[in-house]
Amino acid sequence: MNNYLERCTVCPHNCKIDRTKSIGRCKATDKVKIALYSIFNYEEPCISGENGSGTVFFSNCNLNCCYCQNYEISQLGKGKEISIDELANIFIELQNKNVENINLVTPTSYAIQIIEAIKIAKNKGLVIPIVYNTNGYENIETLKLLEGLVDIYLPDLKYFDNSLGKKYSNINNYFDITSNAIKEMYRQVGKPLLDERGIMKKGVIVRHLVLPNCIENSKNVLKWLKENFDEKIFISIMAQYFPTYNAKKLPELNRKLTKQEYEEIENYIFDLDIQNGFMQDLGEHEEEYVPKWNE
């Protein structure tokens, strides 16, 4: 494991720093750091089901999204360091609460440690699906290490336009990297497999958060997904955006979606004839669904 962390190339930044001694772009060390683990009921219906998703929220992130709703943990690093054995025990504890799956949120920086934790947990009886819930900015070689351990990939595809990735997430090549990563994810797990209750056991769900004043970007994302995957994956369109963190300083992002923007995307989905997926309703109190990191 240290071979990967002492010259870190776990994510596409390829910092090559020794994480046992210092930190790179994502601010993660060689220790696993989490902010919360809990039963979470607000994922897509095929992920949460009736019993909820056994969710582990990891601290730190390899992107710097100015609008991140979880910025306290992703950008400010709030959380607690735990051992790999403790992480494995968390997986077992959540499984014992009858959750539908183990949902790893923002796992990228800790992929190597997570691999070890999953192996330990499987030896202790872990059998429910593993969900890899990521921003999508993933190294193909790291994803290959996850093959056979991850059952469901839940990546974001935030930007088709790389200039938006640079402006809002401080990343130069988001689409190029993430589009190839999603192809690798699909290669590993294939088409969606759901049980008789409609709970996903295997497959890919690509999430896209619609940003205000970025409707053409959203259309291009959806068009690319349709052309490259059609009904081989699920697409989840998220309308939950609200201005938070540094987005409040940007006039174009300092508001929620309008009904007109929402309906334009909704109509475009029908035009593309996207069949497999979900679209959030346009709500009014999205802030209430952000976990309380102090609890």
Side-chain angles (χ1 to χ4, degrees):
M1 184 177 71
N2 282 348
N3 291 338
Y4 291 99
L5 300 180
E6 289 176 355
R7 186 174 168 80
C8 188
T9 57
V10 170
C11 89
H13 290 303
N14 293 316
C15 294
K16 296 185 175 65
I17 53 96
D18 184 349
R19 283 172 53 179
T20 66
K21 298 177 180 178
S22 57
I23 58 174
R25 164 74 180 260
C26 72
K27 300 180 183 177
T29 69
D30 61 325
K31 303 291 191 300
V32 176
K33 192 174 187 182
I34 68 170
L36 179 71
Y37 69 94
S38 65
I39 300 174
F40 200 64
N41 295 296
Y42 301 116
E43 306 289 28
E44 288 76 4
C46 63
I47 298 295
S48 291
E50 293 184 2
N51 298 324
S53 181
T55 306
V56 182
F57 290 89
F58 291 88
S59 304
N60 299 309
C61 183
N62 63 339
L63 295 187
N64 301 108
C65 302
C66 64
Y67 50 82
C68 183
Q69 296 170 6
N70 295 340
Y71 71 91
E72 290 179 85
I73 66 171
S74 67
Q75 306 304 311
L76 305 184
K78 198 169 190 176
K80 175 185 177 182
E81 288 186 350
I82 61 171
S83 69
I84 291 173
D85 284 323
E86 286 174 315
L87 182 58
N89 289 336
I90 286 171
F91 297 163
I92 296 298
E93 180 183 337
L94 288 169
Q95 178 175 265
N96 290 341
K97 293 179 179 179
N98 200 34
V99 295
E100 303 290 357
N101 44 60
I102 301 298
N103 185 357
L104 310 171
V105 181
T106 321
T108 308
S109 300
Y110 307 102
I112 303 304
Q113 298 98 317
I114 286 169
I115 288 168
E116 297 304 313
I118 292 173
K119 290 177 179 177
I120 292 168
K122 283 184 176 294
N123 286 333
K124 293 183 176 182
L126 181 68
V127 294
I128 58 177
I130 302 292
V131 181
Y132 196 80
N133 186 341
T134 167
N135 60 41
Y137 196 70
E138 296 283 348
N139 189 326
I140 297 289
E141 297 308 312
T142 302
L143 290 175
K144 288 180 178 178
L145 297 176
L146 293 164
E147 187 167 3
L149 297 174
V150 169
D151 303 284
I152 300 165
Y153 281 103
L154 186 55
D156 292 339
L157 184 53
K158 298 177 183 293
Y159 314 108
F160 182 87
D161 184 345
N162 280 329
S163 67
L164 293 179
K166 177 63 176 176
K167 186 175 184 180
Y168 298 141
S169 298
N170 193 26
I171 197 79
N172 290 318
N173 54 353
Y174 178 85
F175 178 77
D176 310 83
I177 294 293
T178 304
S179 58
N180 285 323
I182 291 171
K183 290 177 181 178
E184 169 62 19
M185 294 172 191
Y186 175 75
R187 183 196 69 77
Q188 289 185 22
V189 299
K191 295 181 180 180
L193 175 64
L194 281 68
D195 68 12
E196 66 281 356
R197 299 176 299 135
I199 303 300
M200 183 172 281
K201 298 299 181 182
K202 209 169 186 103
V204 178
I205 305 176
V206 178
R207 284 176 168 170
H208 174 69
L209 176 66
V210 183
L211 299 174
N213 293 301
C214 295
I215 299 306
E216 290 307 311
N217 174 67
S218 293
K219 288 181 177 180
N220 285 328
V221 165
L222 295 171
K223 184 172 183 287
W224 184 86
L225 290 171
K226 174 68 175 181
E227 291 176 347
N228 285 270
F229 296 100
D230 199 8
E231 297 181 14
K232 297 175 183 177
I233 63 169
F234 278 15
I235 299 173
S236 180
I237 298 139
M238 307 174 78
Q240 67 187 39
Y241 176 85
F242 63 89
T244 186
Y245 192 40
N246 290 326
K248 293 180 178 180
K249 303 174 185 176
L250 300 174
E252 72 273 22
L253 293 185
N254 194 23
R255 65 168 174 81
K256 296 181 180 182
L257 294 180
T258 64
K259 184 179 180 182
Q260 180 179 352
E261 287 173 323
Y262 179 86
E263 289 178 347
E264 188 170 346
I265 293 300
E266 189 176 39
N267 291 334
Y268 193 68
I269 292 166
F270 286 112
D271 291 342
L272 288 177
D273 192 30
I274 293 174
Q275 298 292 327
N276 289 346
F278 310 93
M279 185 169 184
Q280 281 182 330
D281 292 331
L282 190 62
E284 297 180 355
H285 304 288
E286 291 84 357
E287 300 91 332
E288 296 177 2
Y289 298 99
V290 177
K292 304 297 185 290
W293 308 116
N294 290 327
E295 294 179 3

